[in-house]
Amino acid sequence: MGFDITSNYAGEHAGQYIAAALKSATSLEYLTVLENVKTKRNITKVAGASLVADASCDFTDAGTLTLTERILDPKEFQINVDLCKKDLLADWQASQMRAGAHNRDFSGDFTAFVMSYLSGTIADHVESNIWAGIAGSGAFTGFMHAGNGLFENDAAIVEADNAGGAGVAFTASNIIANFQGALASVPSAVYSKEDLYIYVSPKSYKLYISAISALSAFPFNHMGQYTPEFEGVKIAVCQGMLDNKMAVAQKSNLFFGTDLLSDHAEIKMLDMAQLDGSDNVRVVAKYTAGVQHAQGGDIVRLD
């Protein structure tokens, strides 16, 4: 006797599963995540000059306050996949089913099980696009793509010089100089901010560890574990960051947008046994994702 596992989740219920998948994207720990962006979200930038004046009895307009906006526009994505019920018998989830090849009674949380297959795909897609994405099929524009990234297309972004020369690969010999050059380019008003990070790839971070491990003052804490920071600024190791590039920015200045509440978030599972007699489960997962920054003049990029 077969067991129909057809289900359909949309909006907040589906969003719970999508959110769990997104959390596997390591860069989101170091970005400001906006979870309920329906279509577009205006990121307002405020710039003031000479606003403070001596007190008086009269109202005297002083200084300038400029408001400009940048648009965060998450793009819609979907995953379509067929899973064979028979394959599940060889998986750990087989213990959740009744015995017998013809009594595959899936557990009530089968949706979570299926999403465990898809979460890695969703997380990897989001992680790589945050930094290296370029507008096109199956992708959204990221921060650091060479030639068409958000940072490169913002003239206000501060560009730091590569210590080895433009386009030269990072090495254990020049990585510290590149860290120093990037931080030297950070505006003074931003340098002391608590949420300031140096964003690097795992390979760049490995080169940095290699370089400082040879120093006599190797900065271990009292537990013998290295604290990931450089000259007082925390280091964010992001799986999707491009090698031989780095950025310095505040977490509060970099945004990731998605929608976990509306029907843009959707998970469908269709048991094909009743339709074509096959032993397949057809799965559809839909989600939205996109990034944007606010104040370009407070961000440093080095490549």
Side-chain angles (χ1 to χ4, degrees):
M1 178 177 176
F3 184 75
D4 188 1
I5 58 173
T6 296
S7 59
N8 186 7
Y9 301 105
E12 185 174 1
H13 196 167
Q16 295 173 2
Y17 294 108
I18 300 297
L22 291 175
K23 287 180 180 178
S24 299
T26 57
S27 289
L28 295 190
E29 179 181 350
Y30 309 110
L31 306 180
T32 300
V33 178
L34 304 177
E35 295 184 347
N36 303 317
V37 183
K38 304 300 181 186
T39 53
K40 295 182 180 181
R41 174 80 173 264
N42 290 334
I43 307 298
T44 302
K45 302 185 298 179
V46 181
S50 303
L51 296 176
V52 179
D54 293 337
S56 67
C57 294
D58 300 321
F59 177 84
T60 303
D61 187 22
T64 59
L65 186 64
T66 304
L67 300 178
T68 56
E69 293 181 335
R70 219 176 276 282
I71 297 176
L72 173 59
D73 187 11
K75 186 176 177 181
E76 297 181 24
F77 299 101
Q78 71 177 27
I79 295 175
N80 295 341
V81 64
D82 276 330
L83 297 177
C84 180
K85 295 178 191 176
K86 291 182 179 179
D87 294 340
L88 298 176
L89 289 175
D91 205 288
W92 64 267
Q93 186 70 3
S95 62
Q96 302 291 323
M97 307 174 191
R98 292 200 303 263
H102 298 289
N103 275 324
R104 290 185 286 276
D105 185 358
F106 290 87
S107 67
D109 201 18
F110 179 69
T111 302
F113 173 57
V114 172
M115 284 305 297
S116 71
Y117 277 91
L118 301 183
S119 61
T121 299
I122 293 174
D124 290 346
H125 169 259
V126 168
E127 178 68 30
S128 62
N129 276 267
I130 285 173
W131 302 104
I134 183 172
S137 178
F140 60 87
T141 302
F143 292 124
M144 297 286 287
H145 185 277
N148 201 31
L150 294 174
F151 288 173
E152 188 160 331
N153 288 329
D154 184 354
I157 297 287
V158 180
E159 294 189 30
D161 293 330
N162 186 318
V168 174
F170 292 170
T171 66
S173 298
N174 66 28
I175 191 67
I176 291 180
N178 277 314
F179 270 87
Q180 291 173 329
L183 285 188
S185 300
V186 173
S188 298
V190 177
Y191 187 85
S192 60
K193 298 298 184 181
E194 180 65 25
D195 67 338
L196 186 67
Y197 286 91
I198 305 171
Y199 296 84
V200 298
S201 71
K203 180 180 179 180
S204 297
Y205 183 64
K206 182 179 179 181
L207 290 172
Y208 170 63
I209 292 297
S210 177
I212 64 174
S213 64
L215 302 178
S216 59
F218 187 50
F220 284 104
N221 63 21
H222 68 282
M223 295 296 291
Q225 297 176 336
Y226 172 65
T227 301
E229 63 178 38
F230 180 79
E231 295 184 353
V233 178
K234 296 182 289 293
I235 299 173
V237 183
C238 301
Q239 295 293 329
M241 172 60 86
L242 297 163
D243 292 335
N244 306 313
K245 296 177 183 288
M246 67 176 66
V248 187
Q250 293 173 257
K251 175 179 179 178
S252 58
N253 198 21
L254 302 180
F255 298 86
F256 172 82
T258 187
D259 183 9
L260 301 179
L261 294 180
S262 77
D263 289 344
H264 290 311
E266 184 177 20
I267 298 172
K268 290 183 178 180
M269 291 190 296
L270 182 62
D271 193 333
M272 300 300 292
Q274 303 301 319
L275 299 178
D276 60 13
S278 70
D279 217 12
N280 295 325
V281 181
R282 186 161 291 178
V283 182
V284 176
K286 295 184 178 181
Y287 63 100
T288 64
V291 293
Q292 188 55 275
H293 63 283
Q295 297 281 1
D298 291 343
I299 298 171
V300 174
R301 60 183 285 261
L302 185 151
D303 51 21

Coordinates of all heavy atoms in Angstrom, one line a residue, residues 143-147 149 151-152 157-170 178 182 241-247 300-303:
F143 N 28.7 41.7 -4.2 CA 29.5 42.9 -3.9 C 30.8 43.0 -4.7 O 31.2 44.1 -5.1 CB 29.9 42.9 -2.4 CG 28.7 43.0 -1.5 CD1 28.4 42.1 -0.5 CD2 27.9 44.2 -1.6 CE1 27.4 42.2 0.4 CE2 26.8 44.3 -0.7 CZ 26.6 43.4 0.3
M144 N 31.5 41.9 -4.9 CA 32.9 42.0 -5.3 C 33.2 41.4 -6.7 O 34.4 41.2 -7.1 CB 33.8 41.2 -4.3 CG 33.8 41.8 -2.9 SD 34.8 43.3 -2.8 CE 36.5 42.7 -2.9
H145 N 32.2 41.1 -7.5 CA 32.5 40.6 -8.8 C 33.3 41.5 -9.7 O 33.0 42.7 -9.7 CB 31.1 40.3 -9.6 CG 31.3 39.6 -10.9 ND1 31.6 40.3 -12.0 CD2 31.3 38.3 -11.3 CE1 31.8 39.5 -13.1 NE2 31.6 38.3 -12.6
A146 N 34.4 41.0 -10.3 CA 35.3 41.8 -11.1 C 34.6 42.3 -12.3 O 34.1 41.5 -13.1 CB 36.5 41.0 -11.4
G147 N 34.4 43.6 -12.5 CA 33.9 44.2 -13.7 C 32.4 44.6 -13.5 O 32.0 45.6 -14.2
G149 N 30.5 44.1 -10.1 CA 30.1 44.0 -8.8 C 29.5 45.3 -8.2 O 29.8 46.4 -8.8
F151 N 30.3 46.9 -5.6 CA 31.3 47.8 -5.1 C 32.1 48.5 -6.3 O 32.4 49.7 -6.2 CB 32.4 47.0 -4.3 CG 31.9 46.6 -2.9 CD1 32.6 45.8 -2.1 CD2 30.6 47.0 -2.4 CE1 32.2 45.4 -0.8 CE2 30.2 46.7 -1.2 CZ 31.0 45.8 -0.4
E152 N 32.3 47.8 -7.3 CA 33.0 48.3 -8.4 C 32.2 49.4 -9.2 O 32.8 50.3 -9.8 CB 33.5 47.2 -9.4 CG 34.4 47.7 -10.5 CD 35.2 46.6 -11.2 OE1 35.5 45.6 -10.5 OE2 35.5 46.7 -12.3
I157 N 33.1 54.1 -3.3 CA 33.8 53.0 -2.6 C 35.3 53.4 -2.6 O 35.9 53.8 -3.6 CB 33.7 51.7 -3.3 CG1 32.2 51.2 -3.2 CG2 34.6 50.6 -2.7 CD1 31.7 50.8 -1.9
V158 N 35.9 53.3 -1.5 CA 37.4 53.6 -1.3 C 38.2 52.4 -1.8 O 38.0 51.2 -1.4 CB 37.7 53.9 0.1 CG1 39.2 54.2 0.3 CG2 36.9 55.0 0.7
E159 N 39.1 52.6 -2.7 CA 39.9 51.6 -3.3 C 41.3 51.6 -2.7 O 42.0 52.6 -2.8 CB 40.0 51.7 -4.8 CG 38.7 51.5 -5.5 CD 38.9 51.4 -7.0 OE1 40.0 50.9 -7.5 OE2 37.9 51.8 -7.8
A160 N 41.7 50.5 -2.1 CA 43.1 50.4 -1.5 C 44.0 49.7 -2.5 O 43.5 48.9 -3.3 CB 43.0 49.6 -0.2
D161 N 45.3 50.0 -2.4 CA 46.2 49.4 -3.4 C 46.7 48.1 -2.9 O 47.0 47.9 -1.7 CB 47.4 50.4 -3.5 CG 47.1 51.7 -4.2 OD1 46.2 51.7 -5.0 OD2 47.7 52.7 -3.9
N162 N 46.7 47.1 -3.8 CA 47.3 45.8 -3.6 C 48.8 46.0 -3.3 O 49.5 46.6 -4.1 CB 47.1 44.9 -4.8 CG 47.5 43.5 -4.5 OD1 48.5 43.2 -4.0 ND2 46.7 42.5 -5.0
A163 N 49.3 45.5 -2.2 CA 50.7 45.6 -1.9 C 51.7 45.1 -2.9 O 52.8 45.5 -3.1 CB 51.0 45.0 -0.5
G164 N 51.2 44.0 -3.6 CA 52.1 43.4 -4.6 C 51.9 44.0 -6.0 O 52.6 43.6 -6.9
G165 N 51.0 44.9 -6.1 CA 50.7 45.5 -7.5 C 49.3 45.1 -7.9 O 48.8 44.0 -7.4
A166 N 48.7 45.8 -8.8 CA 47.3 45.5 -9.2 C 47.2 44.1 -9.7 O 47.9 43.7 -10.6 CB 46.9 46.5 -10.3
G167 N 46.2 43.4 -9.2 CA 46.0 42.0 -9.7 C 46.9 40.9 -9.2 O 46.8 39.8 -9.6
V168 N 47.9 41.3 -8.4 CA 48.9 40.3 -7.9 C 48.2 39.5 -6.8 O 47.5 40.0 -5.9 CB 50.1 41.0 -7.3 CG1 51.1 40.0 -6.7 CG2 50.8 41.8 -8.5
A169 N 48.5 38.2 -6.9 CA 47.9 37.2 -5.9 C 48.4 37.5 -4.5 O 49.6 37.8 -4.3 CB 48.1 35.8 -6.4
F170 N 47.6 37.2 -3.5 CA 48.0 37.3 -2.1 C 48.9 36.1 -1.8 O 48.8 35.0 -2.3 CB 46.8 37.2 -1.2 CG 45.9 38.4 -1.2 CD1 44.7 38.4 -0.6 CD2 46.2 39.6 -1.9 CE1 43.8 39.4 -0.6 CE2 45.4 40.6 -2.0 CZ 44.1 40.6 -1.3
N178 N 48.8 43.8 2.8 CA 47.5 44.1 2.2 C 46.5 44.4 3.3 O 45.6 45.3 3.2 CB 47.1 42.9 1.4 CG 47.7 43.0 0.0 OD1 47.7 44.0 -0.7 ND2 48.2 41.8 -0.5
A182 N 44.6 48.0 3.5 CA 43.1 48.1 3.5 C 42.7 48.9 4.7 O 41.8 49.8 4.6 CB 42.5 46.7 3.6
M241 N 33.7 34.6 -0.5 CA 34.6 35.7 -0.9 C 35.6 35.2 -1.9 O 36.2 34.1 -1.8 CB 35.3 36.3 0.3 CG 36.3 37.3 0.0 SD 35.8 38.8 -0.9 CE 35.2 39.8 0.4
L242 N 35.9 36.0 -2.9 CA 36.9 35.7 -3.9 C 38.3 35.7 -3.3 O 38.6 36.6 -2.5 CB 36.8 36.7 -5.1 CG 35.4 36.6 -5.8 CD1 35.2 37.9 -6.7 CD2 35.3 35.4 -6.7
D243 N 39.1 34.8 -3.8 CA 40.5 34.9 -3.4 C 41.2 36.1 -3.9 O 40.8 36.7 -5.0 CB 41.3 33.6 -3.9 CG 40.8 32.3 -3.2 OD1 40.3 32.4 -2.1 OD2 40.9 31.3 -3.8
N244 N 42.2 36.6 -3.2 CA 43.0 37.7 -3.7 C 42.2 39.0 -3.7 O 42.6 40.0 -4.4 CB 43.6 37.5 -5.1 CG 44.4 36.2 -5.1 OD1 45.2 35.9 -4.3 ND2 44.2 35.4 -6.1
K245 N 41.2 39.0 -2.9 CA 40.4 40.2 -2.7 C 40.0 40.4 -1.2 O 39.9 39.3 -0.5 CB 39.1 40.2 -3.5 CG 39.3 40.2 -5.0 CD 38.0 40.1 -5.7 CE 38.2 40.0 -7.3 NZ 38.6 41.2 -7.8
M246 N 39.8 41.6 -0.7 CA 39.3 41.8 0.6 C 38.5 43.1 0.6 O 38.6 43.9 -0.2 CB 40.4 41.8 1.6 CG 41.4 43.0 1.6 SD 42.6 42.9 2.9 CE 43.5 41.5 2.6
A247 N 37.6 43.2 1.6 CA 36.8 44.4 1.8 C 36.8 44.7 3.3 O 36.9 43.8 4.1 CB 35.4 44.2 1.3
V300 N 35.8 49.9 2.0 CA 37.1 49.8 1.3 C 37.2 48.5 0.6 O 36.8 47.4 1.2 CB 38.3 49.9 2.3 CG1 39.6 49.6 1.6 CG2 38.3 51.2 3.0
R301 N 37.6 48.5 -0.6 CA 37.8 47.2 -1.4 C 39.3 47.2 -1.8 O 39.9 48.2 -2.2 CB 36.9 47.1 -2.6 CG 37.0 48.2 -3.6 CD 36.0 48.0 -4.7 NE 36.4 47.0 -5.6 CZ 37.0 47.2 -6.8 NH1 37.3 48.4 -7.2 NH2 37.2 46.2 -7.6
L302 N 39.9 46.0 -1.8 CA 41.2 45.8 -2.3 C 41.3 44.5 -3.1 O 40.8 43.5 -2.7 CB 42.2 45.7 -1.0 CG 43.7 45.6 -1.3 CD1 44.5 46.2 -0.2 CD2 44.2 44.2 -1.6
D303 N 41.8 44.7 -4.3 CA 42.0 43.5 -5.2 C 43.2 43.7 -6.1 O 43.9 44.7 -6.0 CB 40.7 43.1 -5.9 CG 40.2 44.3 -6.7 OD1 40.9 45.3 -6.9 OD2 39.0 44.3 -7.0

